[in-house]
C-alpha cells in the first residue's frame, strides 16, 4: 500500500467524520412536498448535466491530439480552462444575482455554444478562446 493510498484513505475518513458531526440537516425540518419534488428534479438535471460535461474531457484531449498539439500545449489549454472556471466561477453567483437568473442561464447557454463551436477549429488561439469562455 502506497503513502498516497494511506493519506487518501485517512483524509476520506476524516472528511466523512467531519461531515457527519457538522451536518446541518440533523434537525427534523419538514418541507412542502412540492418543494421537495422541485429539489429532487433540480438535483437530477444538475447531475446529468455535470456528468455529461465531465464525460467530454477525454474526447477533447483526443481532439486536440488529432490537431497535432503536444502534451504541453494540450495541458496549457486544459489549465487555461480550469483557471478560467476558477476565476469566473467565483463571480458568477453575484453576477446572477445582479442581472437575474434567467438572463444568466441564457448567457451561459450562449457562451457554452460558442465554446463548443471553437472546437471545430484547429487554431491554437481560437481553441484557447473556447477554453476561456
Amino acid at each position: 500500500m502506497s503513502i498516497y493510498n494511506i493519506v487518501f484513505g485517512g483524509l476520506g475518513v476524516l472528511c466523512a467524520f467531519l461531515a457527519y458531526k457538522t451536518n446541518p440537516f440533523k434537525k427534523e425540518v419538514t418541507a412542502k412536498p412540492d418543494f421537495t419534488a422541485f429539489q429532487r428534479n433540480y438535483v437530477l438535471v444538475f447531475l446529468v448535466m455535470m456528468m455529461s460535461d465531465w464525460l467530454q474531457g477525454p474526447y477533447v484531449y483526443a481532439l486536440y491530439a488529432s490537431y497535432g498539439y503536444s502534451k504541453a500545449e494540450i495541458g496549457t489549454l486544459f489549465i487555461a480552462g480550469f483557471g478560467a472556471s476558477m476565476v469566473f466561477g467565483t463571480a458568477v453567483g453575484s453576477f446572477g444575482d445582479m442581472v437575474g437568473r434567467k438572463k444568466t442561464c441564457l448567457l451561459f447557454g450562449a457562451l457554452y455554444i460558442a465554446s463548443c463551436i471553437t472546437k471545430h477549429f484547429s487554431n491554437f488561439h481560437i481553441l484557447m478562446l473556447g477554453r476561456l469562455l
Side-chain angles (χ1 to χ4, degrees):
M1 186 174 268
S2 71
I3 187 71
Y4 173 78
N5 291 335
I6 294 169
V7 170
F8 183 76
L11 289 175
V13 170
L14 178 65
C15 284
F17 174 75
L18 291 174
Y20 174 76
K21 288 305 242 180
T22 61
N23 186 0
F25 302 109
K26 285 181 183 175
K27 303 173 192 156
E28 282 200 30
V29 177
T30 55
K32 295 180 181 178
D34 291 342
F35 183 68
T36 303
F38 168 74
Q39 282 181 317
R40 289 189 179 131
N41 185 38
Y42 176 84
V43 167
L44 177 67
V45 171
F46 178 78
L47 289 176
V48 168
M49 187 267 313
M50 290 303 293
M51 284 186 284
S52 64
D53 186 48
W54 277 93
L55 280 174
Q56 75 177 346
Y59 298 105
V60 172
Y61 184 91
L63 177 70
Y64 294 159
S66 74
Y67 288 155
Y69 290 111
S70 68
K71 284 185 179 183
E73 292 169 320
I74 294 172
T76 301
L77 288 168
F78 271 88
I79 290 170
F82 295 138
S85 294
M86 178 184 69
V87 171
F88 296 123
T90 57
V92 166
S94 298
F95 178 77
D97 290 339
M98 286 189 321
V99 300
R101 305 278 163 97
K102 182 178 180 181
K103 289 179 182 176
T104 304
C105 287
L106 291 172
L107 178 63
F108 168 76
L111 290 175
Y112 200 82
I113 288 169
S115 175
C116 290
I117 289 172
T118 63
K119 298 213 178 10
H120 292 278
F121 299 93
S122 62
N123 183 292
F124 185 82
H125 295 95
I126 294 174
L127 291 172
M128 182 61 78
L129 175 66
R131 295 301 292 185
L132 295 176
L133 290 177

